[in-house]
Amino acid sequence: MSTGTAPVISCKNAWKIFGADPKGYLKTLSEGRSFEEIRADGYIAGVRDVSLDVHKGEMLVIMGLSGSGKSTLVRCFSRLHEITGGTIEVEGTDIGSLPERELIELRRSKMGMVFQSFGLLPHRTVLENVAFPLEMRGQDKHARRDRAMEVIKLVGLEGREEYFPRELSGGQQQRVGIARSLAIEPDIWFLDEPFSALDPLIRREMQDEFLRLQEMLGKTIVFITHDFDEALRLADRIAIMKDGAVEQCDTPDQIVLNPATEYVRKFTEDIDKARVVHARVLVEAGATAEGLAIDGAASVHDMAKMLITDPRDAFPVTENGVALGAMPKAKALDVLLDQR
Amino acid sequence: MSAADQQSLPSAPPAFGIDRPKAALICFAVAIALTIAQYTGLLPAFLHRLPESLIPPFADWLDVIFEFVKEDLGLLAFTRFLTEGLEWVLDVTGNLLFGRRRWPYLGPIPWSAIAAAVAVLGYWLGGWRMALLAGGTFLWTALVGQWEIAMQTMSVLVVAAPMAFVIGLSLGITAWKYPAFENAIKPILAVLQTLPFFTYLLPAVIFFKVGPTAGAVATVVYAIPPMILMTILGLQKVSPEVVEAGKMSGCTRLQMLRHVYIPSARTEILVGVNQVIMLCLAMVVLTAFIGMPGLGATLLQFMGSFRLGRSFEIGVTIVLIAVALDRMSKAWVAKQPEHFEKGTPWWQQHRYALIGLSAFVLFYVLAQFIPYLNEIGRRQSLSMGREIDGVMRTFLALDWVTAITGGLRAFLNNNVFIPFRNFLLSIPTPALILLIVAFGLWLAGRKQAMLAGLFFSLVALSGWWDRAVITLYSVLAAVILATLIGLPIAILAARNEKSARRVLLACDTAQTFPSFVYLLPAIMLFGITDIAVIFSILIFATVPLVRYTIEGLRTVPPEITEAADMAGATRLQKLLKVQIPLAFPTMAVGFNQAIMFAFFMVIIAAFIGTQDLGQELQRTLAGTNLGTNFVLGICVSLMALSFDLIIMKWASDRKRVLGLGG
């Protein structure tokens, strides 16, 4: 993940305040004023001093309860909202200073977004909805039809392309939303609670589908959810938000093992840590161990049987053929047994 | 929003140390005292009526302004220029529909071709029933020999409705885009919607020549406001996610409007179209008053000469056209696009357009050989006008009928109407204004009360006070009677779902009738008398009252009525203690609409012969007295607006207090 190249999205001290005169208010705002205090002043802090980077090919999941500012933050990334303070750079350009023309160009060529309640145009067929972004950038009819059919196939809606959104189920409608966001082959893919409006079985199926797509496409993804299990399933890194601020931004393993704040700890309390924590994060650098090596991508849960039956005190860990060091047995057992 | 807000709502913080109910009471008491003083002869004359010398010559001032705009600003030259363009379009439709001798010299199109094409359109929109309604309407019109006059009316309608749509849509979009513009036009729209139609007619005549052009212009102006309002409503309701999806798809502003906003607001915009069509039809019929030929003019002429059979037939035609247009445009609103399987050939996708076209061509060709399909003359028609005339006359001359209508007339006139009118006229001007203010304070709020007081004071200053009071009397008398009749009907109808739906359908249908038609039964029963005036207003105003009362009673949440049942309430108790209080805000909206309708109808009733503002207004039509026309029109508008402000504020306050969302 940390490939050393510049981040795709780089967000520095971003603020988004709603109210009568947000810019003026932000100037007078003193350091460390809380969400409640700001609200008492008559303003709502949608995003509060957020700094984070999204790297190429990474899936960052932003997670928080409703009203925590996660949707607002992602809308700042695509400048659907203007930020009140700070800077947001996409591939090195400050998007806040882009003129409208170039912003539209950026969205037409680089960004795709999927919405919670799909945001489909009711008067257009599936095909016309998917081809919509292509039509907007002026592609000719045949080219956009071919491309739209390609993505419709990709999301498994072949044969439904002449249907209207109201004739489709929720899951199918979201497939249309996904296909539309992929039509322009975006580099950056925003998904705003894409599966929240679906019932649990369909949600699970769509997550699998989504992982399959991501395996194939390898996009840079910002994914929003309020469902922690979903976040753990999908994320390379998770940013947990509360009252507009990011409480912690780290890998799922670290969030579970070392919650940064009390809020995060409460969030992770009920999680089956053994399924989240992987061998690679339990490695002690420099330590060595003998015998059969275990894979760094194995979760503690995967290793449970071995941890109990294998007499060794430490295990060598390798990932992709590279030796990472050794994992002490006690550390893994702690995760396995000491869950609460 | 919060509980604290709600609690503070009913009584605003008292100013001057007097709270609202108390202020209302004080106003009321002063008004009573003034009236008593008047009756005992103690009141100085200048407090009874404003002396002539104090009345500013508004009409003259307005005339000066109009003159300036007309001549010096060159508006007249501009509108005459517009007239020519409009005239050209109207000539084309006139030629095609009823064969006016103008370019392109093709018409008239045979009636059978039009009827067939419309029937296919009806089938596409709503199946066999709609086809029957649409085709049948045109068939009837041709068969009773009214094709030509109906097409005269339609030739203006087909021009005015699209124009009103385009102008209303663009103004609506502008208002939605620029809130400042919206704030500026909202009050103008409110005035326009209460302005009596005579006030639309005279300027149209002055600026756009007598005849179809003036008729078209007045119609367009009259139909624009609801289109603007529906457009704004529709655009504001587009879901934010759809908007964001459009932006993320890289839409420019123009693309957003064309591909995202307008299609997403389709339903509201089409509802606007429906209203535009209906208002256009109502107005086109009324343009008879400025000499526009067509259904309205013929109806006016027959009613004037008391040929009731003929009038009745024309009334039926107008009603049929209204219902057909309304149902078809509503079916269009509800129609959702259907998808075709891949590989459907194009002729199958456009099946209905092709059938319609071939039906049109078929009958066009047939009509060249069978004259009856081309044109049905007066003598060939199946009109029963003369016979119905005879029947009506004998019926009205029957002893017991004259006894009933005559008796009713005498009783109502001598014991109710005239005493009520004289009483209203006897109230001193300031006292009546104070009464209105008290009414506003009691029901609505300080702001509404002040505005209503201001509005009525302006009416007093206009110098038309007595006429205005007579107008007010007709409105109040008719609305009170309408309430007495309408409420029991509505309450009975709301008792079960089936009858409720039936009565609602009847009301909806009745509301689509152009208002002019309501004069017919009144004249039929009571002849050309002032009871007929009240009666026509009465039926017109009862419709919204019944409709909203049923709606209100029906929307009382079932768990609340069930709770009342479980608490052991009798039917009457449930009605009085639970249903009516909860339905009251909605009923008030109906009551308000009844008053607005009454103000509208009372002006039309000038045709029968009244002594109110409407009569004066109709008189101005004969001349070029724009100033007086406007002063009179504004007087009606101001009175109607006062009621509108007060009642609507009360209804929305009440809804919020009851948590009904409003």
Side-chain angles (χ1 to χ4, degrees), chain A residues 121 123-124 132 135-136, chain B residues 242 251 254-264:
Chain A
L121 296 165
H123 59 289
R124 290 177 160 245
F132 186 64
E135 188 184 332
M136 289 304 102
Chain B
V242 170
C251 290
L254 205 65
Q255 286 175 325
M256 279 303 283
L257 190 65
R258 208 173 91 88
H259 297 289
V260 179
Y261 278 110
I262 293 185
S264 302

Side-chain angles (χ1 to χ4, degrees), chain B residues 497-516:
Chain B
E497 191 60 25
K498 213 163 141 196
S499 62
R501 231 173 314 135
R502 216 169 283 157
V503 176
L504 275 182
L505 182 70
C507 287
D508 276 347
T509 311
Q511 275 199 321
T512 63
F513 298 174
S515 36
F516 203 32

Side-chain angles (χ1 to χ4, degrees), chain B residues 8-12 19-21 24 435-452 641-654 656-657:
Chain B
S8 66
L9 235 173
S11 54
D19 60 0
R20 243 178 45 206
L435 280 178
I436 298 288
V437 173
F439 178 64
L441 282 171
W442 173 51
L443 282 182
R446 210 161 262 116
K447 189 179 142 208
Q448 285 76 19
M450 302 263 238
L451 276 174
L641 274 179
S642 305
F643 284 101
D644 186 55
L645 274 174
I646 293 171
I647 298 175
M648 291 314 273
K649 172 77 164 63
W650 180 83
S652 75
D653 280 357
R654 193 73 205 143
R656 224 168 330 165
V657 170

Side-chain angles (χ1 to χ4, degrees), chain A residues 75 78 80 100-101 104 107-108 111 113 115-121 123-124 132-133 135-136 161-164 166-167 180, chain B residues 239-253 255-256 258-260 263-264 266 336-342:
Chain A
R75 278 165 177 71
S78 55
L80 286 170
E100 190 177 322
R101 197 64 251 178
I104 287 176
R107 288 176 182 159
R108 283 180 178 177
M111 291 176 170
M113 183 155 176
F115 297 89
Q116 182 176 0
S117 9
F118 325 134
L120 299 180
L121 296 165
H123 59 289
R124 290 177 160 245
F132 186 64
E135 188 184 332
M136 289 304 102
E161 58 272 9
E162 297 301 330
Y163 281 51
F164 284 93
R166 77 193 146 82
E167 298 173 309
R180 176 177 64 188
Chain B
S239 119
E241 279 203 350
V242 170
V243 175
E244 287 176 336
K247 283 189 185 158
M248 287 309 290
S249 298
C251 290
T252 60
R253 283 163 198 231
Q255 286 175 325
M256 279 303 283
R258 208 173 91 88
H259 297 289
V260 179
S264 302
R266 174 184 179 274
Q336 295 285 351
E338 294 287 338
H339 73 265
F340 292 98
E341 286 310 322
K342 213 160 66 188

Side-chain angles (χ1 to χ4, degrees), chain B residues 470-519:
Chain B
I470 295 175
T471 306
L472 195 62
Y473 136 77
S474 308
V475 167
L476 288 181
V479 170
I480 291 169
L481 278 180
T483 314
L484 292 179
I485 297 169
L487 281 192
I489 295 179
I491 289 171
L492 282 180
R495 273 165 68 157
N496 73 63
E497 191 60 25
K498 213 163 141 196
S499 62
R501 231 173 314 135
R502 216 169 283 157
V503 176
L504 275 182
L505 182 70
C507 287
D508 276 347
T509 311
Q511 275 199 321
T512 63
F513 298 174
S515 36
F516 203 32
V517 172
Y518 284 84
L519 286 180

Side-chain angles (χ1 to χ4, degrees), chain A residues 106-147:
Chain A
L106 179 73
R107 288 176 182 159
R108 283 180 178 177
S109 57
K110 291 229 161 76
M111 291 176 170
M113 183 155 176
V114 180
F115 297 89
Q116 182 176 0
S117 9
F118 325 134
L120 299 180
L121 296 165
H123 59 289
R124 290 177 160 245
T125 61
V126 169
L127 185 74
E128 288 166 340
N129 259 295
V130 174
F132 186 64
L134 305 172
E135 188 184 332
M136 289 304 102
R137 68 183 187 190
Q139 233 154 308
D140 81 88
K141 205 169 172 179
H142 288 286
R144 67 185 192 234
R145 198 194 151 84
D146 291 347
R147 172 62 191 158

